[in-house]
Amino acid sequence: MAISAEEFLKIAKRTSKLDAFKEDIIKLRQAKVSYKEIVRFLEMNDVKTSVSNLGHFINKLESEQAQITHKSKKTDAVMDTLKTSSSAVGHPNAQTKPPAVGHSNEPENRPNWATQRSLKDICGG
């Protein structure tokens, strides 16, 4: 019987021999251990690799972590926006104050020569 492409990819997915030491490599890098020393550590664990291969592996890990962090920050920003908008608009517990009558911070639409007193006199107020 034939195999599907998805099944084949599960079997054929190439993994690095460094994947088994991923957590150790991260821990050593956080402790400021050089690439050369990490390669020596790996050799002590019967894993042969080059400094440049280790560098590529670490760059890949950092890139993946940066994407995760970016997505997390983006999700947090969306959640903050949703919280803010739901608490202010249409939220059943939101309290809004009606605007104060006659006490607006906005300038009134009247000609420069008209004062507030003269308008009151004209309008009978």
Side-chain angles (χ1 to χ4, degrees):
M1 179 168 208
I3 186 169
S4 71
E6 290 82 19
E7 291 170 341
F8 178 76
L9 286 174
K10 289 177 187 176
I11 297 168
K13 187 174 181 179
R14 187 173 172 199
T15 59
S16 171
K17 57 187 172 185
L18 301 179
D19 282 334
F21 293 91
K22 177 180 170 180
E23 298 303 319
D24 291 330
I25 292 169
I26 291 170
K27 188 182 293 184
L28 292 170
R29 282 305 296 156
Q30 288 173 341
K32 308 285 189 219
V33 176
S34 71
Y35 285 13
K36 188 175 180 178
E37 288 298 308
I38 295 173
V39 167
R40 198 170 118 221
F41 163 79
L42 293 168
E43 286 174 354
M44 291 177 182
N45 286 286
D46 299 322
V47 176
K48 305 284 184 208
T49 191
S50 66
V51 172
S52 68
N53 189 44
L54 175 65
H56 290 296
F57 182 78
I58 290 173
N59 287 339
K60 185 181 93 171
L61 291 177
E62 290 172 349
S63 174
E64 289 171 358
Q65 185 59 40
Q67 288 177 348
I68 291 168
T69 303
H70 177 71
K71 287 179 183 178
S72 175
K73 286 181 181 178
K74 195 173 186 181
T75 301
D76 290 346
V78 169
M79 293 304 291
D80 288 344
T81 302
L82 291 174
K83 286 178 187 176
T84 303
S85 64
S86 68
S87 65
V89 179
H91 193 277
N93 296 330
Q95 295 179 358
T96 57
K97 287 182 170 180
V101 178
H103 299 294
S104 172
N105 290 337
E106 295 293 322
E108 294 181 30
N109 291 330
R110 62 177 182 229
N112 289 341
W113 53 265
T115 65
Q116 190 171 1
R117 184 172 184 173
S118 67
L119 283 177
K120 285 183 181 178
D121 293 338
I122 294 171
C123 297

